Amino acid sequence: MISKKWMTAALAMMLTIGVSACSSSGSGNAGGNSGGNERAGNEAAKPGPGASGTTITVLNEGAVAIGAGELSALLPEKKKALIADETQNPRITEGDFTYTPGQPAKPGVFPYFYQSIMSDILQAKHITVKTEDWGWGEPLIQKQTAGFLAKNMPDIIVGETQMPGFARQGLLEPFPEEMAKEIRENIAPAAWKPMEYDGKIYGFASQPGVNSLFWNKKLVREAGLDPDKAPASWEELAANAQKVTEAGGKKFYGGGVYAGPNAGGYLRYGTLLVINGGGFADEQGQPAFNSDSNVETVEFLKRLNADHPAGMMVNTNEGAYFDAFKKEQTAYIIDGPWRAIESAQLGIDYGMAPIPLSEGGKAGNITIGAAFHSVPKEAKNKEAAFEYIRAMYSKEIQTLIADTGVRSPVLKTVAESEAYQKAHPEMYQHYLAMAGNVQGLPTFAKESSKVWQIFGDAVTKSIMTNGDVKRILDEAQKQAEAITK
């Protein structure tokens, strides 16, 4: 039995790193379908045993939210609001609410279509969905922490960086064995692997992101480089960035990756740590800052810093870093898949490719913008809640995600189809990056926020000073261990 005192301390760990601005609650998410349209399969519409006549409460996720309340009542109001919304670019019309699976869907109507499909699938199982809005980032974590302590939780909660910690603390219900087997066999690892703990799965994301390398072809061309050729290695990436900086004459720079001392930085340069065989923590939540692999990676970051405006790479305001790419002031950037559609909307001629590997490195990634859905131990309608999660990886929902083209689907039969590869070659590459060694950000054993800050500050110091990187990371490791052990 877990004491309330212990739980209070454990849950306090979750009030840690803020969710990155690129989380799934932000822009760069898309998609949609309405109740009367043709659907992409009906295998998910069979009534579930014991789940009939049930109302479940589900926390909102920004990428697919249409308001708080019962879905069937929210849908018509959302449709009216979208048509009336003059800020939509392009504007939404009545014709946009006709969607045929396999045909392009406009991103602006994605939340409407997504929730319409979910509502229909679950109503066929006699399950009614009521959504609640608990916000995102730290406000969401605070409300979830209070809910766990009070043993008063919705049937499904959602979150990003805090969710693996909840699983490790025993606060979430493991997925049924047959469901976990189905997911492992049919779903890209990025959708569930970060939520696997002690051999069980505790969460699922229907459209997670992982990092890719993007570049501005115009700036690369001005540096005399082949704009259609992605760097094949870290060495080539650094050399290309240097050439762009030299060609830019302080008007534009090579760029590389955001490395600020916050979640936005950890979610991006963390991928480089993983590729090079390093990372943030071990399986027991103890810091692993000063490994030889991490030292090499931070030295590489320090090299890339020379190809940025002074201070930009570690600026605590991550928005300034991404704005520089949008304004065509930097050529290379490591970011989530939404960078593709945002660049296209801005008229940037961009390239997209898997992140190059270090010498001896292996492909790996960090999930970014992944909204993991989980069933709390205290949920009142667990069986119906798992039916909701099953609907998230149904062929219908995953086809919708594919047809919208902002994220890649995670259902293998959809993502690996010849039609998808032909229609969305770049997002197919993103899908491939969601396999293999894909990790989420860890939760440290104690006082996670303090430990994260120690590492973030050490990386900033390493990048911005002439100090010895190994010595700086050794000191950070010592400070972190004094807290966690």
PDB file of all heavy atoms in Angstrom, residues 53-79:
ATOM      1  N   GLY A  53     -23.812   1.079 -22.871  1.00  0.00           N
ATOM      2  CA  GLY A  53     -24.556   1.983 -22.028  1.00  0.00           C
ATOM      3  C   GLY A  53     -23.697   2.766 -21.058  1.00  0.00           C
ATOM      4  O   GLY A  53     -24.129   3.064 -19.955  1.00  0.00           O
ATOM      5  N   THR A  54     -22.489   3.128 -21.470  1.00  0.00           N
ATOM      6  CA  THR A  54     -21.527   3.765 -20.580  1.00  0.00           C
ATOM      7  C   THR A  54     -21.162   5.158 -21.082  1.00  0.00           C
ATOM      8  O   THR A  54     -21.017   5.374 -22.281  1.00  0.00           O
ATOM      9  CB  THR A  54     -20.241   2.920 -20.487  1.00  0.00           C
ATOM     10  OG1 THR A  54     -20.584   1.604 -20.064  1.00  0.00           O
ATOM     11  CG2 THR A  54     -19.247   3.522 -19.524  1.00  0.00           C
ATOM     12  N   THR A  55     -20.995   6.093 -20.153  1.00  0.00           N
ATOM     13  CA  THR A  55     -20.452   7.413 -20.483  1.00  0.00           C
ATOM     14  C   THR A  55     -19.068   7.521 -19.869  1.00  0.00           C
ATOM     15  O   THR A  55     -18.895   7.301 -18.679  1.00  0.00           O
ATOM     16  CB  THR A  55     -21.341   8.539 -19.949  1.00  0.00           C
ATOM     17  OG1 THR A  55     -22.622   8.476 -20.582  1.00  0.00           O
ATOM     18  CG2 THR A  55     -20.719   9.906 -20.233  1.00  0.00           C
ATOM     19  N   ILE A  56     -18.079   7.833 -20.718  1.00  0.00           N
ATOM     20  CA  ILE A  56     -16.714   7.986 -20.208  1.00  0.00           C
ATOM     21  C   ILE A  56     -16.286   9.445 -20.328  1.00  0.00           C
ATOM     22  O   ILE A  56     -16.721  10.171 -21.223  1.00  0.00           O
ATOM     23  CB  ILE A  56     -15.716   7.087 -20.964  1.00  0.00           C
ATOM     24  CG1 ILE A  56     -15.681   7.430 -22.467  1.00  0.00           C
ATOM     25  CG2 ILE A  56     -16.037   5.619 -20.748  1.00  0.00           C
ATOM     26  CD1 ILE A  56     -14.590   6.703 -23.235  1.00  0.00           C
ATOM     27  N   THR A  57     -15.431   9.854 -19.405  1.00  0.00           N
ATOM     28  CA  THR A  57     -14.864  11.200 -19.452  1.00  0.00           C
ATOM     29  C   THR A  57     -13.421  11.109 -19.953  1.00  0.00           C
ATOM     30  O   THR A  57     -12.648  10.270 -19.489  1.00  0.00           O
ATOM     31  CB  THR A  57     -14.884  11.866 -18.068  1.00  0.00           C
ATOM     32  OG1 THR A  57     -14.218  11.021 -17.125  1.00  0.00           O
ATOM     33  CG2 THR A  57     -16.305  12.102 -17.613  1.00  0.00           C
ATOM     34  N   VAL A  58     -13.100  11.993 -20.890  1.00  0.00           N
ATOM     35  CA  VAL A  58     -11.793  11.981 -21.554  1.00  0.00           C
ATOM     36  C   VAL A  58     -11.227  13.398 -21.528  1.00  0.00           C
ATOM     37  O   VAL A  58     -11.927  14.357 -21.872  1.00  0.00           O
ATOM     38  CB  VAL A  58     -11.923  11.491 -23.011  1.00  0.00           C
ATOM     39  CG1 VAL A  58     -10.559  11.505 -23.704  1.00  0.00           C
ATOM     40  CG2 VAL A  58     -12.549  10.108 -23.070  1.00  0.00           C
ATOM     41  N   LEU A  59      -9.990  13.540 -21.128  1.00  0.00           N
ATOM     42  CA  LEU A  59      -9.365  14.859 -21.146  1.00  0.00           C
ATOM     43  C   LEU A  59      -9.042  15.298 -22.571  1.00  0.00           C
ATOM     44  O   LEU A  59      -8.624  14.494 -23.396  1.00  0.00           O
ATOM     45  CB  LEU A  59      -8.078  14.854 -20.312  1.00  0.00           C
ATOM     46  CG  LEU A  59      -8.237  14.663 -18.808  1.00  0.00           C
ATOM     47  CD1 LEU A  59      -6.897  14.908 -18.113  1.00  0.00           C
ATOM     48  CD2 LEU A  59      -9.302  15.590 -18.226  1.00  0.00           C
ATOM     49  N   ASN A  60      -9.204  16.590 -22.826  1.00  0.00           N
ATOM     50  CA  ASN A  60      -8.933  17.135 -24.147  1.00  0.00           C
ATOM     51  C   ASN A  60      -7.445  17.110 -24.484  1.00  0.00           C
ATOM     52  O   ASN A  60      -6.593  17.330 -23.627  1.00  0.00           O
ATOM     53  CB  ASN A  60      -9.413  18.589 -24.234  1.00  0.00           C
ATOM     54  CG  ASN A  60     -10.839  18.705 -24.706  1.00  0.00           C
ATOM     55  OD1 ASN A  60     -11.376  17.791 -25.327  1.00  0.00           O
ATOM     56  ND2 ASN A  60     -11.465  19.827 -24.411  1.00  0.00           N
ATOM     57  N   GLU A  61      -7.162  16.865 -25.745  1.00  0.00           N
ATOM     58  CA  GLU A  61      -5.840  17.045 -26.324  1.00  0.00           C
ATOM     59  C   GLU A  61      -5.989  18.124 -27.389  1.00  0.00           C
ATOM     60  O   GLU A  61      -6.868  18.043 -28.248  1.00  0.00           O
ATOM     61  CB  GLU A  61      -5.345  15.746 -26.961  1.00  0.00           C
ATOM     62  CG  GLU A  61      -4.051  15.920 -27.711  1.00  0.00           C
ATOM     63  CD  GLU A  61      -3.926  14.999 -28.914  1.00  0.00           C
ATOM     64  OE1 GLU A  61      -4.651  13.993 -29.004  1.00  0.00           O
ATOM     65  OE2 GLU A  61      -3.089  15.324 -29.775  1.00  0.00           O
ATOM     66  N   GLY A  62      -5.142  19.151 -27.338  1.00  0.00           N
ATOM     67  CA  GLY A  62      -5.312  20.312 -28.199  1.00  0.00           C
ATOM     68  C   GLY A  62      -5.427  20.017 -29.673  1.00  0.00           C
ATOM     69  O   GLY A  62      -6.181  20.670 -30.400  1.00  0.00           O
ATOM     70  N   ALA A  63      -4.682  19.023 -30.175  1.00  0.00           N
ATOM     71  CA  ALA A  63      -4.667  18.742 -31.602  1.00  0.00           C
ATOM     72  C   ALA A  63      -6.007  18.272 -32.138  1.00  0.00           C
ATOM     73  O   ALA A  63      -6.302  18.431 -33.318  1.00  0.00           O
ATOM     74  CB  ALA A  63      -3.604  17.694 -31.922  1.00  0.00           C
ATOM     75  N   VAL A  64      -6.844  17.697 -31.266  1.00  0.00           N
ATOM     76  CA  VAL A  64      -8.118  17.137 -31.725  1.00  0.00           C
ATOM     77  C   VAL A  64      -9.304  17.677 -30.921  1.00  0.00           C
ATOM     78  O   VAL A  64     -10.418  17.189 -31.056  1.00  0.00           O
ATOM     79  CB  VAL A  64      -8.104  15.592 -31.662  1.00  0.00           C
ATOM     80  CG1 VAL A  64      -7.060  15.034 -32.613  1.00  0.00           C
ATOM     81  CG2 VAL A  64      -7.844  15.098 -30.244  1.00  0.00           C
ATOM     82  N   ALA A  65      -9.088  18.688 -30.105  1.00  0.00           N
ATOM     83  CA  ALA A  65     -10.152  19.190 -29.236  1.00  0.00           C
ATOM     84  C   ALA A  65     -11.174  20.006 -30.017  1.00  0.00           C
ATOM     85  O   ALA A  65     -10.819  20.775 -30.911  1.00  0.00           O
ATOM     86  CB  ALA A  65      -9.558  20.052 -28.125  1.00  0.00           C
ATOM     87  N   ILE A  66     -12.442  19.830 -29.685  1.00  0.00           N
ATOM     88  CA  ILE A  66     -13.502  20.646 -30.276  1.00  0.00           C
ATOM     89  C   ILE A  66     -14.348  21.309 -29.189  1.00  0.00           C
ATOM     90  O   ILE A  66     -15.414  21.849 -29.469  1.00  0.00           O
ATOM     91  CB  ILE A  66     -14.399  19.822 -31.218  1.00  0.00           C
ATOM     92  CG1 ILE A  66     -15.111  18.698 -30.460  1.00  0.00           C
ATOM     93  CG2 ILE A  66     -13.598  19.266 -32.391  1.00  0.00           C
ATOM     94  CD1 ILE A  66     -16.186  17.984 -31.288  1.00  0.00           C
ATOM     95  N   GLY A  67     -13.871  21.276 -27.950  1.00  0.00           N
ATOM     96  CA  GLY A  67     -14.591  21.879 -26.846  1.00  0.00           C
ATOM     97  C   GLY A  67     -14.772  20.880 -25.731  1.00  0.00           C
ATOM     98  O   GLY A  67     -14.340  19.731 -25.813  1.00  0.00           O
ATOM     99  N   ALA A  68     -15.424  21.321 -24.658  1.00  0.00           N
ATOM    100  CA  ALA A  68     -15.693  20.463 -23.510  1.00  0.00           C
ATOM    101  C   ALA A  68     -17.174  20.146 -23.457  1.00  0.00           C
ATOM    102  O   ALA A  68     -18.020  21.026 -23.586  1.00  0.00           O
ATOM    103  CB  ALA A  68     -15.251  21.148 -22.217  1.00  0.00           C
ATOM    104  N   GLY A  69     -17.469  18.868 -23.294  1.00  0.00           N
ATOM    105  CA  GLY A  69     -18.863  18.442 -23.252  1.00  0.00           C
ATOM    106  C   GLY A  69     -19.040  17.127 -23.980  1.00  0.00           C
ATOM    107  O   GLY A  69     -18.077  16.431 -24.301  1.00  0.00           O
ATOM    108  N   GLU A  70     -20.295  16.767 -24.255  1.00  0.00           N
ATOM    109  CA  GLU A  70     -20.577  15.516 -24.951  1.00  0.00           C
ATOM    110  C   GLU A  70     -20.308  15.692 -26.446  1.00  0.00           C
ATOM    111  O   GLU A  70     -20.755  16.657 -27.067  1.00  0.00           O
ATOM    112  CB  GLU A  70     -22.035  15.113 -24.721  1.00  0.00           C
ATOM    113  CG  GLU A  70     -22.361  13.716 -25.212  1.00  0.00           C
ATOM    114  CD  GLU A  70     -23.777  13.300 -24.829  1.00  0.00           C
ATOM    115  OE1 GLU A  70     -24.146  13.499 -23.648  1.00  0.00           O
ATOM    116  OE2 GLU A  70     -24.491  12.787 -25.712  1.00  0.00           O
ATOM    117  N   LEU A  71     -19.563  14.745 -27.028  1.00  0.00           N
ATOM    118  CA  LEU A  71     -19.123  14.894 -28.421  1.00  0.00           C
ATOM    119  C   LEU A  71     -20.285  15.109 -29.385  1.00  0.00           C
ATOM    120  O   LEU A  71     -20.208  15.966 -30.271  1.00  0.00           O
ATOM    121  CB  LEU A  71     -18.326  13.656 -28.855  1.00  0.00           C
ATOM    122  CG  LEU A  71     -16.888  13.534 -28.373  1.00  0.00           C
ATOM    123  CD1 LEU A  71     -16.211  12.340 -29.033  1.00  0.00           C
ATOM    124  CD2 LEU A  71     -16.099  14.810 -28.680  1.00  0.00           C
ATOM    125  N   SER A  72     -21.348  14.333 -29.243  1.00  0.00           N
ATOM    126  CA  SER A  72     -22.454  14.428 -30.195  1.00  0.00           C
ATOM    127  C   SER A  72     -23.073  15.821 -30.211  1.00  0.00           C
ATOM    128  O   SER A  72     -23.572  16.284 -31.238  1.00  0.00           O
ATOM    129  CB  SER A  72     -23.523  13.384 -29.880  1.00  0.00           C
ATOM    130  OG  SER A  72     -24.007  13.556 -28.553  1.00  0.00           O
ATOM    131  N   ALA A  73     -23.036  16.525 -29.074  1.00  0.00           N
ATOM    132  CA  ALA A  73     -23.577  17.877 -29.006  1.00  0.00           C
ATOM    133  C   ALA A  73     -22.566  18.912 -29.485  1.00  0.00           C
ATOM    134  O   ALA A  73     -22.938  19.964 -30.013  1.00  0.00           O
ATOM    135  CB  ALA A  73     -24.009  18.194 -27.571  1.00  0.00           C
ATOM    136  N   LEU A  74     -21.274  18.626 -29.317  1.00  0.00           N
ATOM    137  CA  LEU A  74     -20.235  19.583 -29.700  1.00  0.00           C
ATOM    138  C   LEU A  74     -20.019  19.647 -31.211  1.00  0.00           C
ATOM    139  O   LEU A  74     -19.657  20.703 -31.739  1.00  0.00           O
ATOM    140  CB  LEU A  74     -18.917  19.204 -29.025  1.00  0.00           C
ATOM    141  CG  LEU A  74     -18.841  19.353 -27.501  1.00  0.00           C
ATOM    142  CD1 LEU A  74     -17.543  18.748 -26.983  1.00  0.00           C
ATOM    143  CD2 LEU A  74     -18.940  20.823 -27.106  1.00  0.00           C
ATOM    144  N   LEU A  75     -20.237  18.537 -31.900  1.00  0.00           N
ATOM    145  CA  LEU A  75     -19.896  18.471 -33.323  1.00  0.00           C
ATOM    146  C   LEU A  75     -20.623  19.504 -34.186  1.00  0.00           C
ATOM    147  O   LEU A  75     -19.982  20.225 -34.960  1.00  0.00           O
ATOM    148  CB  LEU A  75     -20.134  17.057 -33.853  1.00  0.00           C
ATOM    149  CG  LEU A  75     -19.070  16.037 -33.429  1.00  0.00           C
ATOM    150  CD1 LEU A  75     -19.553  14.613 -33.670  1.00  0.00           C
ATOM    151  CD2 LEU A  75     -17.766  16.291 -34.178  1.00  0.00           C
ATOM    152  N   PRO A  76     -21.948  19.618 -34.125  1.00  0.00           N
ATOM    153  CA  PRO A  76     -22.609  20.617 -34.976  1.00  0.00           C
ATOM    154  C   PRO A  76     -22.187  22.048 -34.659  1.00  0.00           C
ATOM    155  O   PRO A  76     -22.078  22.882 -35.557  1.00  0.00           O
ATOM    156  CB  PRO A  76     -24.099  20.391 -34.717  1.00  0.00           C
ATOM    157  CG  PRO A  76     -24.173  19.646 -33.430  1.00  0.00           C
ATOM    158  CD  PRO A  76     -22.944  18.819 -33.365  1.00  0.00           C
ATOM    159  N   GLU A  77     -21.943  22.344 -33.385  1.00  0.00           N
ATOM    160  CA  GLU A  77     -21.494  23.684 -33.017  1.00  0.00           C
ATOM    161  C   GLU A  77     -20.089  23.956 -33.542  1.00  0.00           C
ATOM    162  O   GLU A  77     -19.774  25.078 -33.974  1.00  0.00           O
ATOM    163  CB  GLU A  77     -21.540  23.844 -31.494  1.00  0.00           C
ATOM    164  CG  GLU A  77     -22.930  23.774 -30.901  1.00  0.00           C
ATOM    165  CD  GLU A  77     -23.855  24.821 -31.520  1.00  0.00           C
ATOM    166  OE1 GLU A  77     -23.415  25.986 -31.682  1.00  0.00           O
ATOM    167  OE2 GLU A  77     -25.004  24.469 -31.842  1.00  0.00           O
ATOM    168  N   LYS A  78     -19.239  22.938 -33.514  1.00  0.00           N
ATOM    169  CA  LYS A  78     -17.887  23.093 -34.033  1.00  0.00           C
ATOM    170  C   LYS A  78     -17.913  23.351 -35.533  1.00  0.00           C
ATOM    171  O   LYS A  78     -17.153  24.186 -36.046  1.00  0.00           O
ATOM    172  CB  LYS A  78     -17.068  21.840 -33.737  1.00  0.00           C
ATOM    173  CG  LYS A  78     -15.612  21.935 -34.201  1.00  0.00           C
ATOM    174  CD  LYS A  78     -14.860  23.032 -33.456  1.00  0.00           C
ATOM    175  CE  LYS A  78     -13.385  23.039 -33.811  1.00  0.00           C
ATOM    176  NZ  LYS A  78     -12.640  24.116 -33.111  1.00  0.00           N
ATOM    177  N   LYS A  79     -18.781  22.676 -36.243  1.00  0.00           N
ATOM    178  CA  LYS A  79     -18.897  22.871 -37.679  1.00  0.00           C
ATOM    179  C   LYS A  79     -19.282  24.318 -38.001  1.00  0.00           C
ATOM    180  O   LYS A  79     -18.672  24.967 -38.855  1.00  0.00           O
ATOM    181  CB  LYS A  79     -19.927  21.909 -38.274  1.00  0.00           C
ATOM    182  CG  LYS A  79     -20.107  22.052 -39.774  1.00  0.00           C
ATOM    183  CD  LYS A  79     -21.097  21.013 -40.302  1.00  0.00           C
ATOM    184  CE  LYS A  79     -21.296  21.170 -41.802  1.00  0.00           C
ATOM    185  NZ  LYS A  79     -22.232  20.141 -42.344  1.00  0.00           N
TER     186      LYS A  79
END
